[in-house]
Amino acid sequence: MTDDFTFAHLTDAHLPSHGGFAAGELTGKRALSALNWALHRRERHDRGVADALSADVLRFAPDHVAMTGDVVNFGLERECRAGAEWLAGFGGAERLSYVPGNHESLHRDCERHWRAAFAPFAPGGDWPFARRFGDVAFIGVSTSIPTPPGYAQGEVGAAQREAMKALLSERRGAFRVLLIHHPPTNMTKPSKSLRDRRAVSAAIAEAGADLILHGHDHRNEMSWIDRADGCRIPVLGAPSASTPFGHGEAAEWRLISVAREAGDWRISVRRRAIGPDGAFADVGRFAFRVPVQADFSA
C-alpha cells in the first residue's frame, strides 16, 4: 500500500423518522420503547445533528464509510426505508458497509424490514459479509435479535461465528476491519451485552483481525482482544451520530487512515465531534501499530 486508505466510522444514528404510530404498532416492547422515547430519548437524538455529521463526513471524502447499527429506533418498515435513504447519501451501496443493531430488531416482526431495506449495504445482501478494497477488508456481522422488554442484548450465533472466523482467516495479510454493533469485549452490563461475547472473542482471537469497530454504548470506548499470535487488536466504540451537544457524549464520527509500513499496519484515528455552536470539529487524535499477521494472496 503506497497511500493511506481512509474510512469513516459512525454509529447509532437513531434517526427520528417514524412519524407517529398506526393502530396495532404499539405492542409489547415497542410500546415501552415509545414511552421511553417520548419521555427521554427524543432529546438525545436529533435528525439535524445526524445530517450535519453526514455533511462533515462527505467533506473529508473518505474512501469508504462504516456504519455499525441502530439507524432506526422502533424497527418499523418506514423507518428502515428512511434509514436506507440516509445511508445512501454517503455515496451509495458501494461506498458504505452496514451492520444492524438491536433497535433494528426491536420487535419480533422487524427482521424482514431491515433485511430488505439494508441488504444493499451488505455484499450479497446478507451477514456476515466481506468486501475488500486493495489491502483493506471489511468483515461485517449481525448481532441483531429480538429480546424481551428491559433487554437490549445481541447475539452472533454459532453459524455466523464460524462464517466470520473463516472470512477473517482467509484474509490474513490484509488489514481486516471487523464491524459489529455490540462490543465483543466486556464493556456493557449483562442486560445489554452480546450474549455469546466469549465465543465471539475467542473466534476473533483465533482467526485474527486488525481493528474492531462497534457502537451500542453511545460512548467513546477502547478495549482489546489478544490475537493468537500475541498482538493486541484494538476495539473501538463511538458515541451516537445524532446526540446534540450537552445531552451526554456529543455526536461524533472518526476518520481512520491505515497504511502498511514494513511489517506493521499504521492506524491513525481522527475524532470529529459536534460542539456548542452546532459545528463538527477535531476533538482528538490517536494512533496504533498492529503487526501484519500473515501474507495473503487474493
Side-chain angles (χ1 to χ4, degrees), residues 44-124:
R44 298 201 295 268
H45 300 291
D46 187 304
R47 174 59 186 261
V49 172
D51 288 342
L53 181 145
S54 175
D56 197 54
V57 170
L58 292 172
R59 188 167 69 84
F60 283 84
D63 296 308
H64 199 62
V65 177
M67 205 292 173
T68 51
D70 279 2
V71 178
V72 303
N73 292 291
F74 306 105
L76 296 164
E77 183 178 11
R78 59 185 175 277
E79 280 187 299
C80 292
R81 289 198 305 266
E85 291 176 4
W86 188 75
L87 293 180
F90 287 95
E94 293 300 315
R95 303 279 296 185
L96 185 138
S97 294
Y98 158 88
V99 294
N102 54 290
H103 275 264
E104 273 79 356
S105 288
L106 191 75
H107 198 271
R108 62 182 178 274
D109 64 357
C110 294
E111 183 172 355
R112 68 183 188 275
H113 301 322
W114 64 257
R115 282 190 175 274
F118 299 123
F121 306 102

Side-chain angles (χ1 to χ4, degrees), residues 212-234:
I212 301 170
L213 302 177
H214 70 84
H216 190 52
D217 292 338
H218 299 193
R219 296 193 299 264
N220 178 29
E221 294 180 326
M222 182 186 300
S223 55
W224 307 86
I225 291 176
D226 291 327
R227 210 163 67 185
D229 64 356
C231 167
R232 305 198 79 194
I233 307 167

Side-chain angles (χ1 to χ4, degrees), residues 180-257:
I180 186 169
H181 180 69
H182 292 76
T185 50
N186 189 20
M187 304 297 289
T188 311
K189 63 183 182 180
S191 63
K192 295 186 176 183
S193 67
L194 187 64
R195 288 176 177 176
D196 53 350
R197 172 180 59 80
R198 290 183 177 85
V200 172
S201 294
I204 295 169
E206 182 178 348
D210 303 286
L211 177 65
I212 301 170
L213 302 177
H214 70 84
H216 190 52
D217 292 338
H218 299 193
R219 296 193 299 264
N220 178 29
E221 294 180 326
M222 182 186 300
S223 55
W224 307 86
I225 291 176
D226 291 327
R227 210 163 67 185
D229 64 356
C231 167
R232 305 198 79 194
I233 307 167
V235 183
L236 305 181
S240 162
S242 60
T243 301
F245 185 86
H247 291 270
E249 291 199 32
E252 183 176 324
W253 69 277
R254 282 86 184 274
L255 182 66
I256 302 171
S257 64

Side-chain angles (χ1 to χ4, degrees), residues 99-197:
V99 294
N102 54 290
H103 275 264
E104 273 79 356
S105 288
L106 191 75
H107 198 271
R108 62 182 178 274
D109 64 357
C110 294
E111 183 172 355
R112 68 183 188 275
H113 301 322
W114 64 257
R115 282 190 175 274
F118 299 123
F121 306 102
D126 202 2
W127 294 261
F129 65 76
R131 69 195 319 171
R132 186 169 175 178
F133 304 90
D135 287 343
V136 177
F138 293 91
I139 293 90
V141 297
S142 170
T143 61
S144 188
I145 58 170
T147 55
Y151 289 81
Q153 294 169 322
E155 186 172 35
V156 174
Q160 207 182 177
R161 283 199 308 271
E162 288 305 307
M164 174 198 73
K165 186 175 171 181
L167 291 173
L168 288 168
S169 295
E170 291 163 3
R171 287 156 182 81
R172 287 180 180 172
F175 182 80
R176 297 155 297 170
V177 186
L178 179 67
L179 308 178
I180 186 169
H181 180 69
H182 292 76
T185 50
N186 189 20
M187 304 297 289
T188 311
K189 63 183 182 180
S191 63
K192 295 186 176 183
S193 67
L194 187 64
R195 288 176 177 176
D196 53 350
R197 172 180 59 80

